[in-house]
Amino acid sequence: MELSAGTTTTPPDLHGRHFRQAQGPTTRGSWYRTWRVLAVDGTTFDAPDTPENMERFGRPGSGRAAARGDRVAFPQVRVVAVAECGTHAITAATLGSITVAEATLARDLFPGLGRGELLIADRGFAGLPLWRAASANGADLLWRVRSNIVLPVREELPDGSYLSEIVATDDHYRRKDPVTVRVVEYTLDDPARPEHDAPYRLITTILDHHKAPARELAALYCQRWEIETALDELKTHQRGPGQVLRSRSPDGVEQEVWAHLLVHHAIRSLMHTAAVGAGLDPDRLSFIRSLRLARRQTTAQAAFSP
């Protein structure tokens, strides 16, 4: 497993943000037409309550307690990651203080994106500067946007989508520097879902409806939940539910987080190899069973005398 150079505050041997790609050209469930499908999202890890960790990472606010000036919960380190939707392997990550927004941290990951990749993101990442940063090297995007964003119809397309434009948040009236996007709007026909009748609005860099019809993009957006699954595997099953990281120093906390990310990538890479060998979609394999197997094998090997 290889890591490319980065600029974190972790020790030199952990200076990485970008992990090696896990999926291959024949991996089932990993591609939409010619695009490798990725998703971006964030999570947090609780760190021990020390002055050093508090200074580096900050502490989340909590309503009335924070307003009273009371101490709230643990210091938290924020992690933003990009994952392959087909394998759940996290291919890039960055760390920061809980006081730094996910969208701000995500900008550090986008230079690693390129042509042939399609990045899915939820509403929290929508914004013109981040859109430009994510697509700068040729990657295509499929992002959900909030319902209050103004998207004027510039051209209606045969598949029900339409061309529009997005501008900076402070430029809604002059619209002097717009970026053309294609908009896909739809609702979910499922009364069991909360707000099922609320419209979903997606914007994409794929302007040609022949290359990616609106119905297919609407169905593809649900792949965003694959990174939620990956982060749950990382925090709930691998680290353990409700666990606090062990290190009392900020550098040690970051090293622990990178170690968890490396282990998760290693397990998911092994699962991908096994799935390809059996001709299966990696989603058909159990992460929990694979994790238990890896732990048993590691323990067994450690028992042997060198």
Side-chain angles (χ1 to χ4, degrees), residues 32 35-40 82 110 113-122 125-145 166 179-184 202-207 212 217 220-221:
Y32 167 64
W35 286 277
R36 175 188 178 218
V37 183
L38 308 169
V40 60
V82 172
F110 293 159
L113 300 175
R115 295 190 180 278
E117 295 179 322
L118 177 59
L119 181 70
I120 303 175
D122 201 5
F125 294 89
L128 181 59
L130 208 60
W131 182 266
R132 282 181 164 146
S135 59
N137 292 331
D140 283 300
L141 312 179
L142 180 65
W143 293 9
R144 188 181 177 188
V145 296
I166 56 174
V179 170
T180 301
V181 298
R182 181 164 149 241
V183 184
V184 177
L202 310 179
I203 58 176
T204 180
T205 55
I206 308 171
L207 305 183
L217 291 179
L220 182 66
Y221 179 73

Side-chain angles (χ1 to χ4, degrees), residues 40-304:
V40 60
D41 206 353
T43 189
T44 59
F45 284 82
D46 290 337
D49 191 3
T50 66
E52 295 81 5
N53 286 341
M54 177 60 190
E55 181 179 1
R56 173 78 65 83
F57 304 118
R59 194 188 306 272
S62 180
R64 297 176 184 175
R68 293 194 303 266
D70 295 342
R71 290 158 57 87
V72 181
F74 293 95
Q76 288 186 338
V77 53
R78 190 184 298 281
V79 180
V80 179
V82 172
E84 296 173 343
C85 293
T87 66
H88 296 183
I90 294 172
T91 58
T94 187
L95 317 182
S97 166
I98 187 64
T99 62
V100 181
E102 289 181 356
T104 301
L105 289 174
R107 185 184 292 270
D108 293 338
L109 303 176
F110 293 159
L113 300 175
R115 295 190 180 278
E117 295 179 322
L118 177 59
L119 181 70
I120 303 175
D122 201 5
R123 291 171 290 186
F125 294 89
L128 181 59
L130 208 60
W131 182 266
R132 282 181 164 146
S135 59
N137 292 331
D140 283 300
L141 312 179
L142 180 65
W143 293 9
R144 188 181 177 188
V145 296
R146 294 183 175 88
S147 59
N148 61 348
I149 292 181
V150 178
L151 295 172
V153 178
R154 299 305 186 207
E155 181 184 347
E156 295 183 354
L157 300 174
D159 66 342
S161 62
Y162 60 91
L163 298 183
S164 184
E165 58 189 27
I166 56 174
V167 295
T169 54
D170 59 352
D171 190 31
H172 285 301
Y173 295 103
R174 291 179 296 171
R175 307 186 77 86
K176 63 179 181 180
D177 190 22
V179 170
T180 301
V181 298
R182 181 164 149 241
V183 184
V184 177
E185 295 186 354
Y186 63 98
T187 57
L188 300 177
D189 187 16
D190 185 357
R193 292 177 178 269
E195 301 181 357
H196 72 279
D197 56 347
Y200 274 65
R201 291 202 301 171
L202 310 179
I203 58 176
T204 180
T205 55
I206 308 171
L207 305 183
D208 186 346
H209 65 281
H210 295 293
K211 293 182 178 179
R215 183 180 295 272
E216 293 183 6
L217 291 179
L220 182 66
Y221 179 73
C222 69
Q223 291 292 311
R224 190 196 71 80
W225 292 102
E226 302 294 352
I227 192 171
E228 299 275 1
T229 300
L231 295 176
D232 178 71
E233 293 168 353
L234 178 69
K235 290 184 60 177
T236 303
H237 303 295
Q238 181 180 306
R239 182 204 58 174
Q243 294 294 315
V244 179
L245 298 172
R246 294 177 296 178
S247 180
R248 300 181 65 82
S249 71
D251 285 350
V253 166
E254 292 188 351
Q255 181 173 332
E256 282 188 72
V257 174
W258 284 118
H260 278 297
L261 289 165
L262 284 164
V263 169
H264 182 272
H265 188 275
I267 293 172
R268 271 294 170 184
S269 295
L270 290 172
M271 292 173 66
H272 169 256
T273 300
V276 170
L280 299 174
D281 186 324
D283 281 346
R284 298 291 302 276
L285 304 186
S286 167
F287 178 82
I288 297 176
R289 294 183 65 181
S290 300
L291 177 63
R292 290 173 179 168
L293 178 62
R295 284 172 171 166
R296 288 199 299 268
Q297 291 294 322
T298 301
T299 302
Q301 292 178 17
F304 284 100

